Amino acid sequence: MARFTDDNDADAEIRALGEALAMLRRERGLSQAEAGQRLGMTSQGWGLYEAGKRSGLFRPDVQRRLTGALDATPEDLALLVRASSTPSAPTQPFKPDGLEMRGRIFEGAPSVERRRLQLSSDELAPWAAAGTVLEYVPGRWPRRDQGCVIEMADGSLRARLYVRSDEVELVVRGAGALLTIEKIPRDQARAVSAVVARLDEG
């Protein structure tokens, strides 16, 4: 009987991991085919992980590989699993005020801490013009072509469009013009946060 319970627990845990992986993928606006392509995997292969039908999802190396394809980490996956398994208090409905009502709110943004930065130039136009307020989530990594706010080592903030990153540099657009490519050494970027909403100036 205990063995049966353990198996059920393991099945539930791997299903939770699969659901969290699917959530990470959707947050980044990727299809299963696009996510799988980053690893040379078919959409069906990726889908099996999300459906909890591949026990390899328990392995740290597999988690690193899958989350890496989503510009995320196994820690991001674990946080989502914990959040979905922890009973939460009733959430208050989102009540937009005048400023937020005119904003474009992106899907997939959970109720977490958000910060705001108002643009003072048209460097990111037409994506966002001077006066636009960018709402961003600290610690959430952006997907390709998504807006981001970069906290530099000197404490200054830069609003850009994310292109890619590696261990050496962060590549973004919007330094002086929307199509201008900027390469920022990783040791100069303290934090990179995804923009989840653009709010028109009130």
Side-chain angles (χ1 to χ4, degrees), residues 48-173:
L48 288 173
Y49 281 111
E50 289 189 0
K53 297 187 182 299
R54 286 194 168 175
S55 59
L57 193 49
F58 278 127
R59 291 170 42 191
D61 59 318
V62 172
Q63 290 181 14
R64 277 194 300 273
R65 186 165 169 255
L66 293 171
T67 56
L70 302 175
D71 293 322
T73 66
E75 289 73 25
D76 295 323
L77 192 68
L79 283 172
L80 284 175
V81 170
R82 269 200 300 276
S84 64
S85 63
T86 303
S88 57
T91 57
Q92 296 297 319
F94 178 70
K95 298 178 180 178
D97 59 26
L99 177 68
E100 291 166 326
M101 194 173 295
R102 287 185 288 277
R104 295 179 290 272
I105 307 298
F106 298 123
E107 294 179 0
S111 298
V112 293
E113 177 194 1
R114 296 185 181 200
R115 296 180 187 167
R116 292 181 177 180
L117 173 68
Q118 185 170 33
L119 298 180
S120 58
S121 73
D122 287 323
E123 292 178 336
L124 294 177
W127 184 79
T132 299
V133 175
L134 302 181
E135 193 167 71
Y136 62 98
V137 176
R140 176 182 295 177
W141 197 261
R143 63 178 183 269
R144 184 178 177 87
D145 293 326
Q146 182 178 8
C148 65
V149 174
I150 306 165
E151 182 183 351
M152 303 300 293
D154 63 5
S156 63
L157 298 177
R158 296 184 188 179
R160 299 289 189 264
L161 290 185
Y162 177 78
V163 177
R164 62 176 175 80
S165 65
D166 55 33
E167 295 177 356
V168 177
E169 62 187 9
L170 177 68
V171 181
V172 293
R173 291 189 285 120

Side-chain angles (χ1 to χ4, degrees), residues 5-15 58:
T5 303
D6 290 345
D7 287 345
N8 279 353
D9 289 346
D11 289 344
E13 187 174 347
I14 199 165
R15 276 197 305 273
F58 278 127

